[in-house]
Amino acid sequence: MFDSLSDKLQRVFKNIRGEGKLTAENMEVALKEIRVALLEADVHFKVVKAFMEGVRTKALGQEVLSSFSPAQQVIKIVRDELITVLGTHTARLRTANQPPTVVMVVGLQGSGKTTSSGKLARYLSKNGHRPLLVSVDVYRPAARQQLAVLAKDLGIPIYEGTPEETKPVDLARSARREAEISGRDMVLVDTAGRLHIDEDLMTELSQLKEALNPTEILFVADAMTGQDAVKSAEEFHKRLGITGVVLTKMDGDARGGAALSIRHITGQPLKFVGTGEKSDALEAFHPDRAASRILGMGDVLSFIEKV
Amino acid sequence: MLSLLDRLKQGIQKTRTGLVSKVEDVLLGKKEIDADLLEELEYTLISADIGVRTANEILEGIRQRVDRHLVNDPSELRQLISEHLLGVLEASDRPLNFAAEAPTVVLMVGVNGSGKTTTTGKLAARFSGEGKTVLMCAADTFRAAAIEQLEVWGQRTKSDIIRQSQGSDPSAVVFDALHAARARKSDVLLVDTAGRLHTKSNLMVELEKMRRTAGRVIEGAPHEVWLVLDATTGQNGLEQARKFTESAGVTGLILTKLDGTAKGGIVVAITRELNLPIRFIGVGEQAEDLLPFEPEKFISSLFEA
Ligand SMILES: Nc1nc2c(ncn2[C@@H]2O[C@H](COP(=O)(O)OP(=O)(O)OP(=O)(O)O)[C@@H](O)[C@H]2O)c(=O)[nH]1
Ligand SMILES: Nc1nc2c(ncn2[C@@H]2O[C@H](COP(=O)(O)OP(=O)(O)OP(=O)(O)O)[C@@H](O)[C@H]2O)c(=O)[nH]1
Ligand SMILES: [Mg+2]
Ligand SMILES: [Mg+2]
C-alpha cells in the first residue's frame, strides 16, 4: 500500500550529495518524509508538528555513528522518540483498595466498547478475578442484549437489572451492590456510545462517575480514527479524567496514528489493544510495535538490525 | 418541520464551522499568497482528513495558478478550493440504480461499527416514507444480538425482516430474503451484513458469495452496494473503499456520524480515486437522521458564511 518509509528515506539520501553523513541539510529532507508518513498514519497534524520539533532537536545533537547510514539513523531517532511518547512500558488495570473495583468503559459510537467489555471480563477472570458485567446502554437497540449474549458465552455473570431500572445510574448502582453481595471483586460497566459534543450524554457519564467512584475509566478508541481522535479524546478526558485507552480493530491495516494523538493529548497510557471480534482477541499494548506500525514499517526492526 | 436544506445545514454545521471557518481564518487579512499561507491551507485540509496527497494536489493546482499570475488575491483561494472539491464530488455523481422490476436489492457493507445496521433501519424508514414496501434481511449472523438490533429497527419502521438463527450461513439468509422479496413483491430489499475488516480475506470471500447468491436468485441483484463509512475514519478509509469495491462491487458511499466534529474529508480522496458517489449522510442515531447527499448543497453549505 505505502512505500515503506525506509525505502523512501534511502532514496532521499541517495539523491543528496554527501549521503554518507547526517547533516542539518539532508536531515530536513528526511524529516519531511517522516512528516508525511506520520500524517498518512492519521497522527493529528498538531501532534506531528510538536513531535517533529522534538525529533529535530534530538537528531541534530546526535553523534554520527559510522555503522549506521543516515537513513537508518534518522529512522532510529524517530522510532525511539515515538516509543518514548507512546509510553515505555505496558500498563495494567489498577484495583481499588476496597473491592469491588469499578471499571467504566466509555467512548464514541461503534468504537468497540461492548466487545472490549466482554474481552476485559474474560481477561480478568483468567487472571484470578471475579468480574461482574453490566450494560448501562439503555439507548441503542439490543445493546444490553449484546452484552448479555457475550456474558453467557463467556460464562461470566451479568447484572441484567429489573424492569423498573431504566436509568444508567440506577443500573450501575444496583450492579455494584450485586457485586458486593455475591463477592465479585470487579464490576465492568459498558456505557452507551456517545459523541463528545453531546452535552446531555456527557453529563450522564459524569453522574455515573460520581455514583460509582471508578478506579479505571477506559476510553475505547477505533484504530482507524483520523484527525478527529484528538478532539474526542480531549473532551472525554476533560469531562471524566480517563485513566487508560483501549485501541480496537488493530487486526486491520490502519496504521493507528490515533494512538500517538490520544496519548499526546491525554497523557494517559494505552493499556490494551483489540485484535479481533472474538472475546480472546485482546492484547497488551506494545509501544515498540505501535511505533513501527505508525511509521508504516513492520520491517523497521530488521532494517535497523540488518547493519 | 425544518426544510431539507436546513436539516442538511444543521447536520453539517460542525463540518462547516470546522473546515470553512478555518480556511477563512487562514485567509483573513492575508495580502499575499506565500509559502506560509499555502502551508497553513495544507494543514487545514489535512485536519479535515482529506489526506496529504489530495491536499497537495489541490494546492499544486493553486500554486500553478499563482505562478501564472491567474490568482493574486488570497480571497480568491476559498472559491478555488470549493470549486475543486465540488468538481471532485460531482464527477462521480450518477443516478441511483433502481431495478426496472421490483425488488431493488441493496447490500450494506462496511467495517465493524461503521453504522450499517442503523443506516439500514434509517433507509427502511426513508423508503417506506416514500410509499415503498421494504423488506430487511438480517445477514449479520455473527455479531452478538445483531439480529435483535435489526428487529428493533423493523418494529420502529414497520418493515418485515427475514432472519435465521445466529451462526447460520449469511448467504442462506440472503437466499431466503430474495425469494421472500420476490414472492411478496417488495419494492426494496435491504441486506444488513456483518461488519468486517477489508483485510480479512475469508470474510471478504463470504461477502462475494452473498453477492453471487443474490445475483443467482434475481438477475442484476444486488442493484446497489453501499459502503457505510464512519466520518471519523482517517486515511484507512481509502483502502477500505478499494477492497470492498474489489470484493463486493461497491456502487456508492454512505457517510455516517457527521453530527460529530469529524469532517469526513476522506470521502474526497475516495470519490476522486474510485469514482464513487456519496448517497446519504448520517447525522444522528434516530430514523430521521439520514439525509440525501447532494454535492452542490453539501459544498455550498460548507462554504456559506
Ligand atoms: N475486527 C475487530 N472488530 C472489533 C474489535 N473490537 C470490536 N469490534 C467490532 O466492532 C463492532 C462494534 O463493536 P461494539 O463492541 O458493538 O462497539 P460499541 O462501542 O459497544 O458500539 P455502541 O455501543 O453502538 O456505541 C462490532 O462488529 C465488533 O465485533 C476489534 O478489536 N477488531
Ligand atoms: N451519532 C451518530 N451515531 C450513529 C450514526 N449512525 C450510527 N450510529 C451509531 O453508531 C453505532 C454503531 O452503529 P451500528 O449500526 O450498530 O453499526 P454497524 O456497522 O451495524 O456495526 P457492526 O454490525 O457491529 O459492524 C451505534 O451506536 C449507532 O447508534 C450517526 O449518523 N450518528
Ligand atoms: Mg455497545
Ligand atoms: Mg450491524
Side-chain angles (χ1 to χ4, degrees):
Chain A
M1 167 167 67
F2 297 99
D3 230 5
S4 98
L5 184 62
S6 46
D7 293 346
K8 269 191 209 159
L9 287 183
Q10 260 159 346
R11 224 173 308 128
V12 165
F13 282 106
K14 264 206 193 87
N15 294 336
I16 294 175
R17 263 192 295 178
E19 60 152 309
K21 269 192 257 133
L22 194 56
T23 64
E25 200 185 319
N26 63 17
M27 204 180 60
E28 283 310 310
V29 190
L31 290 179
K32 249 195 195 133
E33 289 295 339
I34 290 161
R35 171 183 167 273
V36 172
L38 292 174
L39 287 171
E40 282 182 342
D42 294 316
V43 180
H44 191 265
F45 74 96
K46 280 189 183 147
V47 178
V48 171
K49 259 187 180 167
F51 182 80
M52 296 308 289
E53 287 308 317
V55 167
R56 182 175 287 116
T57 321
K58 276 240 164 80
L60 281 177
Q62 197 92 28
E63 275 185 34
V64 181
L65 301 169
S66 51
S67 56
F68 284 101
S69 78
Q72 289 168 324
Q73 216 169 324
V74 172
I75 284 187
K76 193 175 173 339
I77 294 165
V78 172
R79 189 171 169 277
D80 289 350
E81 188 67 9
L82 265 178
I83 293 171
T84 313
V85 176
L86 286 168
T88 41
H89 63 283
T90 48
R92 284 178 202 286
L93 286 186
R94 290 171 304 169
T95 51
N97 294 331
Q98 184 77 29
T101 300
V102 177
V103 180
M104 262 171 78
V105 181
V106 304
L108 298 175
Q109 284 98 342
S111 57
K113 295 172 294 300
T114 307
T115 310
S116 300
S117 299
K119 290 176 178 179
L120 286 167
R122 178 185 180 277
Y123 162 86
L124 289 170
S125 67
K126 290 255 179 264
N127 284 279
H129 290 284
R130 290 163 50 77
L132 175 72
L133 283 161
V134 62
S135 163
V136 300
D137 183 352
V138 298
Y139 309 103
R140 213 209 65 197
R144 285 167 69 190
Q145 204 166 344
Q146 184 185 350
L147 191 69
V149 171
L150 293 176
K152 187 159 172 269
D153 287 350
L154 290 166
I156 289 173
I158 183 165
Y159 179 74
E160 303 237 33
T162 64
E164 297 81 57
E165 286 170 334
T166 53
K167 291 208 190 82
V169 172
D170 295 344
L171 277 164
R173 275 213 188 97
S174 303
R176 194 202 164 99
R177 202 172 314 122
E178 166 89 12
E180 278 161 12
I181 295 166
S182 58
R184 296 264 137 196
D185 66 339
M186 299 195 85
V187 182
L188 295 172
V189 185
D190 175 29
T191 66
R194 66 203 72 215
L195 294 171
H196 54 289
I197 50 167
D198 189 323
E199 192 47 46
D200 293 347
L201 288 181
M202 291 306 283
T203 304
E204 179 192 279
L205 282 184
S206 310
Q207 288 165 348
L208 272 170
K209 179 183 176 181
E210 212 167 293
L212 294 172
N213 187 25
T215 306
E216 294 270 7
I217 301 179
L218 300 178
F219 179 67
V220 178
D222 185 325
M224 296 177 278
T225 317
Q227 297 286 316
D228 214 43
V230 154
K231 279 204 208 94
S232 48
E234 189 172 31
E235 193 60 29
F236 271 88
H237 189 49
K238 209 163 82 193
R239 300 289 294 251
L240 291 173
I242 63 167
T243 62
V245 179
V246 181
L247 194 65
T248 62
K249 310 180 197 175
M250 280 290 269
D251 43 328
D253 59 358
R255 305 246 299 265
L260 184 65
S261 301
I262 295 172
R263 166 75 197 185
H264 183 94
I265 231 68
T266 66
Q268 296 307 302
L270 281 119
K271 296 201 165 174
F272 297 97
V273 168
T275 55
E277 296 187 69
K278 303 226 174 82
S279 290
D280 58 358
L282 185 75
E283 293 175 12
F285 177 76
H286 292 284
D288 49 343
R289 289 185 208 163
S292 302
R293 183 154 167 172
I294 287 174
L295 289 173
M297 36 198 323
D299 61 334
V300 71
L301 283 178
S302 53
F303 176 67
I304 292 172
E305 281 157 8
K306 235 183 314 193
V307 224
Chain B
M1 274 294 279
L2 291 170
S3 79
L4 200 63
L5 186 61
D6 287 339
R7 301 221 24 230
L8 176 65
K9 279 189 206 153
Q10 204 178 54
I12 60 171
Q13 183 72 38
K14 298 293 173 320
T15 322
R16 185 162 69 237
T17 51
L19 177 60
V20 178
S21 66
K22 267 201 251 154
V23 170
E24 278 161 3
D25 281 354
V26 168
L27 298 177
L28 199 71
K30 290 265 166 66
K31 294 260 155 48
E32 253 183 299
I33 302 172
D34 54 15
D36 276 355
L37 173 61
L38 289 175
E39 191 189 311
E40 286 283 342
L41 273 177
E42 185 197 5
Y43 275 122
T44 307
L45 293 170
I46 287 171
S47 73
D49 286 319
I50 277 175
V52 197
R53 283 158 214 242
T54 312
N56 279 331
E57 192 195 69
I58 295 172
L59 291 173
E60 196 41 50
I62 291 171
R63 237 174 248 129
Q64 282 173 13
R65 293 200 206 190
V66 173
D67 287 348
R68 281 184 277 138
H69 301 287
L70 295 173
V71 202
N72 308 305
D73 191 347
S75 64
E76 292 168 58
L77 287 183
R78 199 188 83 157
Q79 188 61 22
L80 273 181
I81 294 174
S82 114
E83 273 168 18
H84 185 96
L85 293 176
L86 186 60
V88 169
L89 296 181
E90 272 183 339
S92 55
D93 198 29
R94 63 184 84 97
L96 277 181
N97 179 26
F98 267 92
E101 200 180 323
T104 294
V105 179
V106 183
L107 195 63
M108 307 290 288
V109 302
V111 297
N112 308 81
S114 62
K116 293 172 294 299
T117 307
T118 308
T119 307
T120 305
K122 290 174 179 177
L123 285 169
R126 174 172 195 89
F127 289 135
S128 14
E130 292 171 0
K132 300 189 170 82
T133 51
V134 178
L135 188 66
M136 295 197 274
C137 168
D140 180 355
T141 59
F142 178 76
R143 211 208 66 200
I147 300 171
E148 287 76 4
Q149 186 184 355
L150 192 67
E151 272 182 334
V152 174
W153 279 104
Q155 288 153 17
R156 281 187 187 173
T157 61
K158 301 191 179 56
S159 334
D160 286 341
I161 292 211
I162 301 299
R163 58 164 290 182
Q164 289 182 10
S165 52
Q166 196 184 350
S168 50
D169 176 10
S171 287
V173 194
V174 169
F175 183 86
D176 281 2
L178 267 100
H179 278 287
R182 195 162 53 191
R184 300 175 192 196
K185 299 194 166 54
S186 310
D187 293 314
V188 186
L189 172 68
L190 301 170
V191 182
D192 179 31
T193 66
R196 67 200 73 223
L197 294 180
H198 51 286
T199 49
K200 309 243 157 123
S201 52
N202 57 330
L203 296 180
M204 296 309 274
V205 167
E206 182 187 85
L207 203 55
E208 273 180 56
K209 190 177 158 205
M210 278 185 248
R211 193 167 159 241
R212 271 203 315 275
T213 303
R216 233 177 273 132
V217 182
I218 295 175
E219 208 191 302
H223 307 90
E224 291 277 348
V225 179
W226 289 340
L227 176 68
V228 180
L229 202 80
D230 184 328
T232 60
T233 309
Q235 299 312 298
N236 191 246
L238 189 54
E239 204 52 26
Q240 290 172 28
R242 278 195 199 116
K243 291 281 159 53
F244 274 100
T245 302
E246 267 169 41
S247 299
V250 173
T251 63
L253 304 171
I254 296 182
L255 192 62
T256 63
K257 311 184 196 175
L258 262 181
D259 45 328
T261 51
K263 298 165 192 78
I266 188 62
V267 293
V268 176
I270 295 176
T271 47
R272 179 175 146 268
E273 187 154 325
L274 296 170
N275 187 28
L276 290 170
I278 305 163
R279 290 303 183 197
F280 297 96
I281 59 173
V283 293
E285 299 186 74
Q286 303 308 315
E288 63 275 16
D289 298 328
L290 185 78
L291 304 169
F293 180 85
E294 291 167 65
E296 194 148 5
K297 278 188 192 159
F298 186 75
I299 300 287
S300 71
S301 336
L302 264 182
F303 281 79
E304 253 167 37

